[in-house]
Amino acid sequence: MRSPSIGRRTLPAYPVVLLVAALTAGCGTPAGRADRWQEPSPVATAAQPADPTAPPVGSSSAAPSPSRADVKRVFPVRAGDVDYHPTHGGYPGTDVFADCGEPVVAVTDGVVLEVSRVDRFDRRGPLGPNNGGLSVSLLGDDGVRYYGSHLSAITAGVDAGVRVRAGQQLGEVGRTGNANNVCHLHFGLSPKCTGADDWWIRRGVVWPAPYLNSWRKGGNRSPVAEITAWQRKHGCPAAPGRSTSGG
């Protein structure tokens, strides 16, 4: 992890052709697999210490506040050079493009739901598991589940049940799973459903771009109403739809 006190060389924006190619891939080829969550496991890559400027990781016994829509929210990647597209291949989600190693942070206050510290993606494997590589999901105090995948590292102390605060570092941008060797964060919004085997929900059910647009500008647009409406209409589907691609 790069120290906040050390200046970072500003890199040029990603070439348009690279961005278009990655967006076309949608975090994987049409025959790819979406991630099935893994229980917390040994660190696959060296865990990085928490950002010293962020609030400390809390106790796993701390209970979240009641769900509400007025919590603080921040953009999920802390970087000067970042880009994303309003659409995504196969299902609602957003690929946030930034340099590998840039900090991935908690969008809002909440409790870590699931952590995958080992990249088990294998293109020869069955459809369904492990597209996200190293991944984290957070249940915000607003009741929304915020999911980020393809990380290169998970911050030490970020484990299931741990309470975190908006802006606290969870990991680093990477290209694990089916990221097609492109550094980016797959970002999804969803309700909390079965937790362990609902990758088709966790990867994203509503389009994140309108909310990302707000948070990037310092706004606080809430996805609560849209997530609530989606769950009221769909419940918690027991199986994925036609698309099994994406991370």
Side-chain angles (χ1 to χ4, degrees), residues 227-244:
I227 291 294
T228 301
W230 184 93
Q231 189 170 24
R232 186 179 296 119
K233 179 177 180 180
H234 299 281
C236 288
R242 289 179 297 176
S243 171
T244 56

Side-chain angles (χ1 to χ4, degrees), residues 101-218:
E102 295 285 21
V104 173
V105 303
V107 169
T108 190
D109 295 357
V111 174
V112 176
L113 278 177
E114 305 121 339
V115 176
S116 177
R117 292 184 179 272
V118 175
D119 185 359
R120 295 183 172 89
F121 176 69
D122 184 349
R123 294 187 182 279
R124 300 167 298 178
L127 292 176
N130 305 325
N131 267 25
L134 275 62
S135 319
V136 177
S137 78
L138 167 71
L139 181 63
D141 287 352
D142 57 4
V144 174
R145 176 168 49 181
Y146 299 86
Y147 169 67
S149 64
H150 305 313
L151 306 180
S152 60
I154 307 291
T155 299
V158 172
D159 298 301
V162 166
R163 185 156 179 79
V164 295
R165 296 177 60 185
Q168 183 170 323
Q169 186 165 344
L170 303 178
E172 299 177 0
V173 173
R175 50 191 177 190
T176 57
N178 70 332
N180 289 322
N181 206 35
V182 177
C183 297
H184 72 283
L185 173 76
H186 172 83
F187 182 73
L189 300 170
S190 67
K192 180 182 182 296
C193 284
T194 59
D197 293 303
D198 66 332
W199 54 262
W200 51 92
I201 302 170
R202 183 177 53 247
R203 65 186 181 178
V205 299
V206 303
W207 294 106
Y211 306 103
L212 292 170
N213 292 342
S214 171
W215 305 336
R216 191 177 187 183
K217 297 175 182 177

Side-chain angles (χ1 to χ4, degrees), residues 78-89:
R78 189 168 61 237
D81 184 12
V82 63
D83 201 0
Y84 55 94
H85 196 271
T87 61
H88 184 273

